[in-house]
Amino acid sequence: MTSPIARPAAPAAPFTVGVEEEFLLLDPRTGESMPVAERVLAALLPADRQHSRKEFRHSMVEMVTPVCTDLAELRGHLLTARRTACRAAREAGARLVSVGATPVCERRRSVPDDPRYHAMSRRFGPVAHDPAVCGCHVHVGVPDRELAVRVCNHLRPWLPVVQALTANSPLHDGCDTGHASWRSMQFDRWPSAGPTPHFDSAADYDATVAQLVAAGVMLDPTMVYWYARPSAAYPTVEVRVGDACPTVDDTVLVAALVRALVATAVARVRAGEPAPRLRGCLVAAAHWRAAHEGLCGELVDLRSGGHRPAWELVDDLLAAVTPALVRHDDLGYVLGQLGRLREEGTGAARQRRVLARTGGDVRAVLDHLAEQTTAG
């Protein structure tokens, strides 16, 4: 009998893609986080509110796109959502900023009044009260859950490169942390976060998650915060390794590459190609290096175990997914945006340039980030 995973890939419609973006609400004068999320969400029109979500901090809002099939459509939804949320933030006296971690400080760290959030606060204590962090989560349609689990295995060597591309949180407590993605350092304090383990099947995945819930590491299966996972809510593979990106085009670039990675992984699974078996400690080391360096140094090449310049690994990723980019008619856009990224650097590199130019003026960095958030 033919396995449902091993069947040949037939010509099909483009893989669908959707994005969830988390944003901080900052005081325009001081840069401190403002606990006005409820006022911001209330200021949204009903049609826009259905694309928003309450988050784990009073200073955060999340905007989500509909399911999309092409990048122009996705870009339009992202830009509209950002500008809509920005207007609502202004009405609440705040400024919407797309950045990975709290850059100055967050005085009110209590969780919103929600039974689940209160349960998380009781279970995880101070970890649940860290300053807010914001991510960019990309969903790619993979309706077969068995296939989705195996796709996540194939993504493991490449997710540190995606993490490096999105690095956009060098600041914490008003200072440069030395890390390109401080969000990654904070987020990894959660016991259910981090690199996705290798799983032999969906049953293996489910059994492992059930054991972690029983061990108290998670309240329930929705607390799987691994960098890639079969979504608990949608028929997708969700990649959640990246910082919130500074511009819409940064987000669309990441979404295009993630969709191409997933499409490439689907083809490899269906061709019967096994995913590489990687040691968890080495995968964790590769992610730490990506969070520390961004694209400004060397990254761990998980295929060889050595260190190589970050942009060489970006080029390798591009080569690996080019057929999928061509299939989706995304190659031209991705090449153009990678060229821009080579010139401008990651969000973290851009923030550091502003710091250097202004003699360490954090407010100038936040002005820059606010402008980039809604630039079209």
Side-chain angles (χ1 to χ4, degrees), residues 247 249-250 253 311 332-342:
T247 71
D249 280 315
D250 292 318
L253 170 62
W311 275 102
Y333 177 85
V334 166
L335 289 174
Q337 293 303 317
L338 285 175
R340 175 184 62 81
L341 202 61
R342 284 181 189 270

Side-chain angles (χ1 to χ4, degrees), residues 15-328:
F15 282 69
T16 59
V17 62
V19 174
E20 302 165 347
E21 290 193 296
E22 297 167 339
F23 302 101
L24 280 183
L25 300 165
L26 302 183
D27 187 310
R29 183 177 56 86
T30 66
E32 294 184 6
S33 300
M34 290 186 67
V36 294
E38 289 189 5
R39 289 166 56 190
V40 172
L41 296 177
L44 294 172
L45 295 173
D48 300 317
R49 203 173 301 138
Q50 67 179 338
H51 297 296
S52 69
R53 291 180 186 160
K54 181 172 69 173
E55 265 299 332
F56 194 57
R57 284 285 175 272
H58 295 281
S59 61
M60 290 174 64
V61 295
E62 182 178 61
M63 303 297 289
V64 302
T65 71
V67 177
C68 301
T69 56
D70 68 79
L71 298 188
E73 177 190 13
L74 179 67
R75 188 181 189 280
H77 285 301
L78 288 167
L79 187 57
T80 297
R82 285 182 176 219
R83 290 179 172 173
T84 297
C86 182
R87 287 193 294 270
R90 280 200 301 267
E91 290 184 27
R95 182 157 64 172
L96 188 83
V97 175
S98 187
V99 64
T102 298
V104 179
C105 71
E106 182 165 27
R107 298 188 187 278
R108 184 180 177 187
R109 298 192 192 178
S110 61
V111 298
D113 190 14
D114 178 281
R116 177 176 172 76
Y117 291 164
H118 288 306
M120 291 170 68
S121 176
R122 289 191 300 270
R123 175 69 60 84
F124 300 104
V127 172
H129 297 274
D130 277 345
V133 294
C134 296
C136 173
H137 304 163
V138 180
H139 288 259
V140 181
V142 181
D144 184 323
R145 196 161 177 278
E146 189 74 39
L147 176 59
V149 168
R150 299 189 188 188
V151 162
C152 291
N153 292 338
H154 281 269
L155 297 181
R156 295 175 83 216
W158 296 112
L159 291 186
V161 184
V162 175
Q163 184 177 22
L165 282 162
T166 66
N168 186 39
S169 53
L171 300 179
H172 172 69
D173 204 19
C175 299
D176 191 331
T177 63
H179 291 76
S181 173
W182 186 248
R183 167 187 168 271
S184 298
M185 299 298 103
Q186 276 191 230
F187 196 61
D188 279 356
R189 280 161 52 90
W190 287 91
S192 57
T196 311
H198 185 109
F199 294 104
D200 292 330
S201 64
D204 183 24
Y205 178 97
D206 292 340
T208 302
V209 170
Q211 288 177 318
L212 291 171
V213 172
V217 170
M218 307 174 191
L219 295 182
D220 54 53
T222 65
M223 281 195 70
V224 171
Y225 295 151
W226 294 323
Y227 295 152
R229 66 181 186 181
S231 171
Y234 308 108
T236 65
V237 166
E238 179 185 4
V239 172
R240 45 190 296 120
V241 70
D243 285 358
C245 296
T247 71
V248 166
D249 280 315
D250 292 318
T251 299
V252 178
L253 170 62
V254 171
L257 290 171
V258 168
R259 175 164 72 165
L261 276 169
V262 170
T264 301
V266 167
R268 289 178 175 171
V269 173
R270 286 178 167 161
E273 182 179 333
R277 290 276 186 168
L278 304 171
R279 289 188 182 275
C281 58
L282 293 179
V283 178
H287 279 288
W288 183 90
R289 191 73 184 255
H292 188 269
E293 305 288 334
L295 296 178
C296 292
E298 293 193 335
L299 300 179
V300 177
D301 184 344
L302 283 168
R303 298 162 301 168
S304 68
H307 290 203
R308 295 173 55 206
W311 275 102
E312 287 187 8
L313 286 174
V314 174
D315 290 339
D316 286 356
L317 184 157
L318 178 64
V321 303
T322 288
L325 291 172
V326 170
R327 170 187 168 185
H328 289 100

